[in-house]
Amino acid sequence: KKNEALIYIYNTTIQQAFIITKNNSDLISNISLSRDDTLGAINLNRKAMANEFDPKFNHNVNAIFFKIFFKEIYKKIKDKNKLIFIADKYYSNFPFEMMITNFPHVTLENLDKFDHNKEPRYLVQDYEISYLPNIETFVEISSSDEINLNKNSKFLGIGDPILKLQSKKEKKSTDVKF
């Protein structure tokens, strides 16, 4: 739609992002960002989110991540209000919505300097954000052997069930078969 942008971001040896909108497509490459840079920044971000650091440091990490990894992409999507992300395996569990867009002063050298008076503005405050699985996911699923699940398998299921109250007569156990 006119208000949407699809962003496919990946890092094979350098960071690249395809930005696809209704009337345009762009490729942004950043040759200065290697896979190791990406992994290092993502690991730092994970540690910051896990509260291993001061919360203000977490803000600065999210701001520097925006500035280094996303600033050029941001210029292409300013007029949109819905972002759809497809990310490679390096970015696949990175929460893009956590990036802070209003701390332009943050650099790698001053990550430990905090602006205590400024409220962070997260990407999710300006955009509706959703995710789609990456191509690698489909390749792995289609090339993998059948997965055997048993009572010891770990499973996380998320749904939006419609629940209704049952009488004691109606209650019965249901076995799930794989």
Side-chain angles (χ1 to χ4, degrees):
K1 295 181 181 174
K2 205 163 87 169
N3 66 330
E4 297 176 331
L6 174 73
I7 301 166
Y8 178 44
I9 188 166
Y10 63 97
N11 193 321
T12 50
T13 54
I14 61 170
Q15 179 186 303
Q16 294 187 302
F18 285 101
I19 304 158
I20 302 168
T21 61
K22 182 175 175 83
N23 299 316
N24 199 16
S25 64
D26 288 294
L27 172 63
I28 296 177
S29 298
N30 190 334
I31 60 172
S32 65
L33 290 173
S34 70
R35 183 179 301 147
D36 289 339
D37 294 334
T38 301
L39 292 175
I42 288 173
N43 286 333
L44 180 62
N45 184 272
R46 284 184 187 138
K47 286 180 181 179
M49 284 191 308
N51 292 325
E52 293 182 26
F53 303 115
D54 184 303
K56 292 287 183 183
F57 185 79
N58 188 5
H59 292 163
N60 283 356
V61 169
N62 286 321
I64 199 71
F65 202 91
F66 171 80
K67 187 175 179 180
I68 292 174
F69 291 88
F70 205 73
K71 189 176 181 181
E72 293 304 311
I73 297 168
Y74 188 69
K75 291 176 185 177
K76 303 282 185 183
I77 52 131
K78 280 191 166 192
D79 64 332
K80 308 300 177 204
N81 62 18
K82 181 176 183 184
L83 305 179
I84 304 162
F85 284 97
I86 301 174
D88 74 357
K89 63 183 173 184
Y90 301 105
Y91 288 105
S92 66
N93 60 3
F94 179 77
F96 289 98
E97 60 273 5
M98 296 282 297
M99 290 188 293
I100 294 176
T101 61
N102 67 333
F103 282 17
H105 62 281
V106 177
T107 65
L108 288 172
E109 292 76 32
N110 70 0
L111 274 174
D112 58 346
K113 305 281 190 278
F114 310 128
D115 185 347
H116 292 280
N117 299 316
K118 191 166 189 178
E119 281 295 313
R121 181 133 192 106
Y122 294 96
L123 191 68
V124 73
Q125 290 176 280
D126 296 318
Y127 297 95
E128 178 184 332
I129 296 176
S130 58
Y131 294 89
L132 292 174
N134 62 40
I135 293 168
E136 293 166 336
T137 303
F138 293 111
V139 170
E140 286 179 20
I141 289 172
S142 66
S143 67
S144 67
D145 294 333
E146 188 175 316
I147 298 171
N148 294 318
L149 299 176
N150 61 42
K151 66 180 181 179
N152 296 322
S153 298
K154 293 180 180 167
F155 172 78
L156 170 63
I158 300 172
D160 188 14
I162 298 173
L163 303 174
K164 66 177 189 173
L165 190 58
Q166 295 180 341
S167 69
K168 287 185 180 183
K169 289 181 183 177
E170 292 179 297
K171 287 185 184 178
K172 54 185 165 182
S173 107
T174 306
D175 291 330
V176 177
K177 302 197 189 301
F178 298 99

